[in-house]
Amino acid sequence: MSGQMRPACSVWLLLVCLVLYSRLKVAASAPTCTNGQAGCHVLSLANLFDRVIQHSARMHGISNDLHSEFELYFLPSKNQIGRVSRNCHTSTILTPNGKENAQRMAREELTEVILKLLVAWGDPLWHFHQSLAHNHEFSNFSSNKSLEMSDMVHELRKGVQKVIEKMKMLGIIGNSLGGLGSSESLLAPVSAEWRLMKDYDLLYCFRRDSSKIQNYLKILKCRIVPEHGC
Amino acid sequence: MADVFSPGLLLMLMMSSLDWLSTPGSAFLFDRDQAKSAPLEPHFTECVSRDLETFRCWWSPGSFQNLSSPGALRVFYLRKDSPLSEWKECPEYNHLNRECFFDTSHTSVWLPYCMQLRSQNNVTYFNEEDCFTVENIVRPDPPVSLNWTLLKVSPSGLSYDVMVSWEPPPSADVRGGWMRIQYEVQYRDRNTTNWEALEMQPHTQQTIYGLQIGIEYEVHIRCRMQAFTKFGEFSDSIFMQVTEIPSTDFTAPLTLILIFGTVGILIVIMLIVISQQQRLMMILLPPVPAPKIKGIDSDLLKKGKLEELNFILNGGSIGGLQTFSPDFYQDEPWVEFIEVDEEEADSREKEDDQASDTQKLLAPPQPISDHRTIRCSETFRHPEEVFDHGSCYSADRLEEDSKVQMDAPPPGQAGDKESSTEFAERTPALDRCRAPPVQTQTGTPQTWVNTDFYTQVSNVMPSGGVVLSPGQQLRTQESTPASEHGAQTKGKQRDESGDMDGQRQKEPQFHLLVVDPEGSGYTTESNCWQNSTPSNSPNPGAGYQTIPPPPVEIKPAASADANRLPYILPDSPQLVAPVADYTVVQELDTHHSLLLDPTPIQSPPPCPSQPPLKTQIPVEYITPDLLGNLLP
């Protein structure tokens, strides 16, 4: 009996190892494929867009939650909208304010706007998280959310850059965009006004901008790859 | 940034009890509710956008009814797209509804709007909380085209699952991705009032599980923008109901399959069990080792080979069981009758009995060498078995206490007459040396006067009387052949005892001493001459059968006795052989009378050289096959 069991066990172990190995291969992040190398798991542009849009939706949700929480704490007696709008550091970035304007905008411009926004919010959110973490008045829940928000902005920026590369590769958009290296150039017009902002205002501004990002990405996707979900 | 938090904390503590979760857009209503006492000035009731491209604002004059006429109030808005923006008037009025509509060109998302009411005489009614951004006031339209399909009915037929599907609101540009809408499905039993709400999800279909058959359900849906808080209106309700569906056509074959499957499996299992029965029994019920007695084969018991078994039990084989008296033979049945004179017996024996009783009670069992009272004379009162003890008394003996009163006439034994006569002849064989502790009884039925505490019953008369055996009754051979036969049978039983030869040698010596007329062994024997010959010969109709005591004990004495035999024999009156105190019922004869074992031979006091025999330990067992030999 044992003699029969041993080869069976070894075969079984071999199968398990093969399955695990294949799984691992799949789970491991696929290397950046250039020009469709063999063995690369290439994502389609539509899938990339979907991922990015989901990410932006998640980011906007978190920003909304945090903003609501801050409203509970700070209870603005008056509507802060009028006052705040002047102080957002991203106000200088020209963004389409309506669907038609966004649809009329060129793909490259729209993409650039998205990227500008994401770049502009990287540092402020990180510092916001630091201030929340060090301040014991805020719960861990808020602190964790701020950290998540900060990470998401960075992830989303990378994702959008990948989408841009893909689009450039596919020839959808021209090379007018600077690519990764242009992020620094995008930062230039955005001054360091955000350091002067208070936390609540910062959250309000970010909530607004995350909504913009989400909408713009959706419009972009439906213009470029309109299949399923548009 | 620290200065923000301390007042914020205070505010939080103060207002934590209140639910102030509100967006700037919803500030319209709150302030008005609080300021009830003050006269209500014209204000905006609500501004709503349905598609994130246009929006509407409604106002009311408040308590100022003079301004309720259309045109009395004018709407101005401020769109803060630059610090230099100005107040502009409503692009499109709808005075019937007191509504101001902002179309696409006038709507800018993500830009704050502020609304203002102005009267004719330039009185401005403005509230800072009436500022908003368009995305925060979005309330999507309800979905359209609701319908439901039956997914599945449970096997029990009591519940079912339903898939509800719908279309997104046409006003919302979901296809273009401009709006991302979440839907909330609610359903309820039509008779109840509480709605069951399912989780928000962005897809246009939803499965509802666990609805009960026979109940009508109502479903409606509402939606909102993702990550925003304002819900739109509920859609129109749809109703669904599923009645009983006798879906036996599907379940019947399933049940049949199950039944046949289980039956088949059971049959297979039974076949396996039956074919492997032995093995299974070994596994489930391992055999328990049976107890074994060393030297005994349980099969002997089963087959009824009592002779061999008895042999084994009696120590015939090495390591055989130890019985009480392995030396006693059980091959010579004998019965002894001892009769005691009433006159002298009573008087004397009373005393003696008392003494003996007392002695017996107090004194420990002692060997035969103790003093005994032997009655040497016996008189036969009864023609059958009346014996008169002689007046020969030997030293006291323990066994004498067992003055058993013999039942003089062993009734019901026709052949006993002969035996009695024979016995009468043989009475001289009684040992004079020993006083039989047994009292002979008169012709009358037994008198238990001088009965010792322990005695042995030699026989039970058919009339009911009990024939007791004297304690020192000796066993004698009845006949040579009988004794020889007995010896032989005895020899069969006793392999280890080398007395067989000796016994056989003694047998002819004891020939004259045989008392048993009918083969029943009246073996009366003095200790001087010990009879160890068994007479296992079957006694025809012998009511009395005795088994000779084991010869081993009397071996040494036997030799001595043997020498004396011829000496004593003619002279010695017939003495009732001392009957042992205890004897063993050998069997029941045909007349249902007990046949007792002969008492063991006890050495008489005048023969001190002889080692005392074992006292009345007449553990003489007779086995059925021995009985078979004994019986006619």
Side-chain angles (χ1 to χ4, degrees):
Chain A
M1 190 68 172
S2 64
Q4 297 172 5
M5 288 293 288
R6 246 186 240 137
C9 279
S10 61
V11 168
W12 175 246
L13 280 174
L14 194 63
L15 281 173
V16 168
C17 288
L18 281 173
V19 167
L20 286 175
Y21 181 64
S22 61
R23 287 272 183 89
L24 282 172
K25 269 194 87 174
V26 170
S29 61
T32 307
C33 302
T34 60
N35 299 328
Q37 286 177 356
C40 270
H41 187 209
V42 180
L43 277 176
S44 68
L45 189 61
N47 287 342
L48 277 174
F49 261 113
D50 283 337
R51 290 188 184 188
V52 163
I53 288 165
Q54 279 179 16
H55 226 103
S56 69
R58 171 82 178 139
M59 190 179 70
H60 177 63
I62 295 173
S63 73
N64 199 29
D65 293 341
L66 262 180
H67 180 261
S68 304
E69 208 171 312
F70 263 74
E71 261 192 331
L72 283 174
Y73 290 143
F74 292 100
L75 299 169
S77 59
K78 293 183 179 179
N79 204 340
Q80 302 284 338
I81 295 177
R83 183 175 66 81
V84 166
S85 63
R86 294 185 296 254
N87 298 337
C88 277
H89 69 287
T90 53
S91 305
T92 55
I93 302 173
L94 288 174
T95 58
N97 289 327
K99 186 178 84 171
E100 292 176 358
N101 295 340
Q103 283 173 344
R104 274 192 237 119
M105 202 180 240
R107 296 173 193 170
E108 292 84 355
E109 290 180 37
L110 195 57
T111 312
E112 195 174 342
V113 163
I114 296 168
L115 208 54
K116 277 183 187 176
L117 284 172
L118 287 170
V119 166
W121 279 106
D123 282 339
L125 283 180
W126 172 247
H127 286 275
F128 173 72
H129 163 66
Q130 293 292 318
S131 69
L132 274 194
H134 292 313
N135 194 327
H136 299 291
E137 289 182 9
F138 294 96
S139 64
N140 283 339
F141 179 74
S142 303
S143 172
N144 292 342
K145 273 220 159 50
S146 64
L147 178 64
E148 195 177 353
M149 210 160 60
S150 169
D151 290 340
M152 274 193 169
V153 165
H154 287 94
E155 293 291 326
L156 195 58
R157 195 181 84 178
K158 291 181 199 171
V160 169
Q161 280 168 346
K162 280 202 170 65
V163 168
I164 290 169
E165 286 174 14
K166 185 88 177 171
M167 284 198 295
K168 282 185 185 176
M169 193 179 69
L170 293 175
I172 297 173
I173 58 175
N175 288 329
S176 60
L177 283 180
L180 287 173
S182 65
S183 60
E184 288 76 15
S185 64
L186 294 173
L187 276 172
V190 179
S191 60
E193 290 179 2
W194 58 270
R195 295 183 189 277
L196 303 174
M197 286 172 61
K198 297 178 181 178
D199 287 339
Y200 176 70
D201 297 337
L202 198 122
L203 279 176
Y204 176 79
C205 290
F206 182 66
R207 190 176 77 140
R208 190 191 66 180
D209 287 342
S210 62
S211 175
K212 282 185 186 178
I213 291 165
Q214 193 179 14
N215 277 43
Y216 297 156
L217 281 171
K218 196 79 173 177
I219 288 174
L220 200 63
K221 186 235 179 194
C222 287
R223 257 168 49 175
I224 294 173
V225 279
E227 59 266 12
H228 48 79
C230 256
Chain B
M1 296 218 179
D3 59 346
V4 176
F5 300 132
S6 44
L9 187 60
L10 288 173
L11 284 170
M12 174 182 68
L13 290 172
M14 280 168 49
M15 306 302 291
S16 60
S17 61
L18 298 175
D19 183 15
W20 276 89
L21 178 60
S22 62
T23 58
S26 63
F28 287 113
L29 297 174
F30 288 138
D31 289 336
R32 300 294 176 269
D33 291 339
Q34 288 178 356
K36 282 182 184 175
S37 58
L40 210 57
E41 59 183 19
H43 59 275
F44 285 96
T45 54
E46 196 178 13
C47 287
V48 169
S49 170
R50 285 165 55 191
D51 50 6
L52 201 61
E53 297 172 45
T54 64
F55 69 96
R56 286 177 168 81
C57 283
W58 293 274
W59 77 88
S60 99
S63 54
F64 289 64
Q65 293 302 321
N66 52 350
L67 300 173
S68 60
S69 61
L73 284 172
R74 293 162 65 185
V75 176
F76 283 86
Y77 71 94
L78 176 65
R79 187 173 69 181
K80 296 182 180 178
D81 49 359
S82 70
L84 303 174
S85 56
E86 296 175 351
W87 290 91
K88 296 176 187 174
E89 194 164 358
C90 174
E92 187 174 337
Y93 278 100
N94 188 345
H95 291 282
L96 287 173
N97 300 333
R98 294 204 191 94
E99 168 191 302
C100 182
F101 174 71
F102 293 82
D103 57 359
T104 311
S105 58
H106 293 93
T107 306
S108 298
V109 191
W110 302 298
L111 282 181
Y113 278 83
C114 288
M115 306 302 289
Q116 200 178 64
L117 282 170
R118 293 181 190 175
S119 64
Q120 296 288 350
N121 47 0
N122 289 335
V123 176
T124 304
Y125 306 98
F126 172 68
N127 193 343
E128 282 192 7
E129 294 188 10
D130 289 339
C131 296
F132 54 88
T133 54
V134 177
E135 73 269 15
N136 288 326
I137 58 167
V138 174
R139 290 183 189 269
D141 284 338
V144 295
S145 308
L146 274 71
N147 64 348
W148 65 279
T149 55
L150 178 67
L151 274 186
K152 176 181 135 169
V153 182
S154 71
S156 61
L158 297 175
S159 64
Y160 60 97
D161 303 334
V162 154
M163 169 77 80
V164 182
S165 61
W166 58 89
E167 294 288 326
S171 61
D173 186 8
V174 183
R175 285 186 60 86
W178 184 241
M179 285 178 69
R180 291 152 309 284
I181 295 179
Q182 290 176 332
Y183 302 97
E184 187 188 46
V185 177
Q186 293 185 1
Y187 70 97
R188 72 169 177 185
D189 185 359
R190 203 164 178 195
N191 302 329
T192 61
T193 57
N194 292 332
W195 289 91
E196 291 277 344
L198 300 179
E199 210 172 319
M200 301 273 305
Q201 48 89 27
H203 305 105
T204 58
Q205 61 185 11
Q206 172 96 45
T207 309
I208 305 177
Y209 299 101
L211 298 175
Q212 294 186 14
I213 285 184
I215 297 177
E216 190 176 11
Y217 287 96
E218 183 180 355
V219 177
H220 64 192
I221 308 172
R222 64 177 181 176
C223 49
R224 72 170 185 190
M225 285 256 290
Q226 283 187 9
F228 289 94
T229 57
K230 295 198 174 197
F231 279 100
E233 296 288 329
F234 276 106
S235 66
D236 294 334
S237 295
I238 58 166
F239 301 95
M240 48 193 187
Q241 184 178 17
V242 175
T243 54
E244 291 273 347
I245 298 176
S247 62
T248 56
D249 54 349
F250 180 72
T251 58
L254 193 64
T255 55
L256 278 176
I257 288 167
L258 281 174
I259 289 167
F260 281 118
T262 51
V263 167
I265 288 168
L266 282 174
I267 288 170
V268 167
I269 288 170
M270 284 200 53
L271 285 173
I272 290 170
V273 166
I274 290 167
S275 65
Q276 303 287 333
Q277 198 174 12
Q278 294 298 325
R279 215 181 292 174
L280 281 175
M281 288 300 291
M282 287 296 292
I283 292 167
L284 293 174
L285 302 173
V288 177
K292 287 207 175 286
I293 302 171
K294 190 177 178 183
I296 289 198
D297 189 5
S298 59
D299 290 337
L300 288 179
L301 284 171
K302 291 180 195 173
K303 294 170 190 172
K305 296 191 177 169
L306 290 161
E307 186 180 9
E308 298 164 2
L309 187 63
N310 194 31
F311 174 73
I312 294 167
L313 285 174
N314 288 329
S317 59
I318 295 174
L321 295 177
Q322 286 290 320
T323 61
F324 289 8
S325 57
D327 298 331
F328 291 128
Y329 284 105
Q330 300 178 8
D331 53 351
E332 188 169 337
W334 64 285
V335 169
E336 50 200 324
F337 293 91
I338 297 177
E339 214 174 38
V340 177
D341 292 335
E342 279 187 348
E343 312 83 74
E344 62 178 45
D346 294 336
S347 59
R348 234 185 331 197
E349 287 159 3
K350 276 178 189 173
E351 304 164 4
D352 292 335
D353 287 340
Q354 292 171 1
S356 65
D357 289 340
T358 314
Q359 283 180 358
K360 186 162 192 179
L361 279 174
L362 297 179
Q366 292 178 2
I368 300 176
S369 59
D370 294 346
H371 42 265
R372 304 161 190 156
T373 58
I374 301 175
R375 301 198 187 107
C376 300
S377 66
E378 285 186 344
T379 58
F380 291 92
R381 301 286 177 87
H382 200 272
E384 292 181 354
E385 289 136 280
V386 174
F387 301 100
D388 286 337
H389 290 280
S391 58
C392 175
Y393 291 93
S394 64
D396 289 341
R397 204 183 124 224
L398 279 177
E399 284 80 13
E400 72 173 356
D401 296 336
S402 63
K403 291 169 187 171
V404 180
Q405 196 166 21
M406 299 294 289
D407 194 1
Q413 296 181 357
D416 290 345
K417 291 190 177 178
E418 303 176 30
S419 61
S420 62
T421 52
E422 292 176 358
F423 189 82
E425 295 172 0
R426 294 172 192 155
T427 47
L430 284 175
D431 187 11
R432 80 165 76 107
C433 301
R434 289 193 295 177
V438 181
Q439 297 175 358
T440 60
Q441 83 180 53
T442 59
T444 59
Q446 62 267 38
T447 59
W448 301 95
V449 178
N450 293 323
T451 306
D452 211 322
F453 285 150
Y454 305 103
T455 185
Q456 65 180 7
V457 176
S458 300
N459 194 9
V460 174
M461 306 301 176
S463 64
V466 175
V467 179
L468 299 175
S469 65
Q472 298 182 359
Q473 271 192 351
L474 296 176
R475 175 182 52 84
T476 59
Q477 280 183 318
E478 54 175 353
S479 60
T480 309
S483 62
E484 283 180 352
H485 175 70
Q488 289 169 3
T489 51
K490 187 148 190 182
K492 268 189 289 181
Q493 294 175 1
R494 309 293 180 87
D495 286 333
E496 62 183 2
S497 62
D499 301 333
M500 295 310 301
D501 299 337
Q503 291 166 7
R504 287 192 188 119
Q505 293 170 4
K506 299 166 202 166
E507 284 175 1
Q509 296 168 353
F510 296 145
H511 178 63
L512 296 173
L513 293 175
V514 173
V515 177
D516 190 356
E518 293 174 336
S520 64
Y522 296 108
T523 56
T524 60
E525 183 180 352
S526 65
N527 290 333
C528 300
W529 35 275
Q530 297 175 357
N531 180 18
S532 65
T533 59
S535 60
N536 272 340
S537 61
N539 303 324
Y544 312 102
Q545 296 169 350
T546 61
I547 293 178
V552 177
E553 295 178 356
I554 58 177
K555 217 200 296 191
S559 54
D561 293 338
N563 299 328
R564 300 194 194 180
L565 259 179
Y567 164 72
I568 297 172
L569 180 61
D571 298 337
S572 62
Q574 286 189 349
L575 295 172
V576 178
V579 181
D581 289 344
Y582 307 100
T583 188
V584 178
V585 176
Q586 298 176 6
E587 67 159 0
L588 289 178
D589 67 347
T590 55
H591 301 281
H592 300 286
S593 50
L594 294 174
L595 302 175
L596 302 174
D597 298 340
T599 56
I601 297 173
Q602 296 122 359
S603 58
C607 313
S609 63
Q610 298 172 7
L613 285 174
K614 285 185 184 175
T615 58
Q616 59 284 10
I617 309 174
V619 189
E620 299 166 345
Y621 304 99
I622 190 168
T623 57
D625 61 347
L626 289 178
L627 286 175
N629 296 335
L630 299 174
L631 286 174

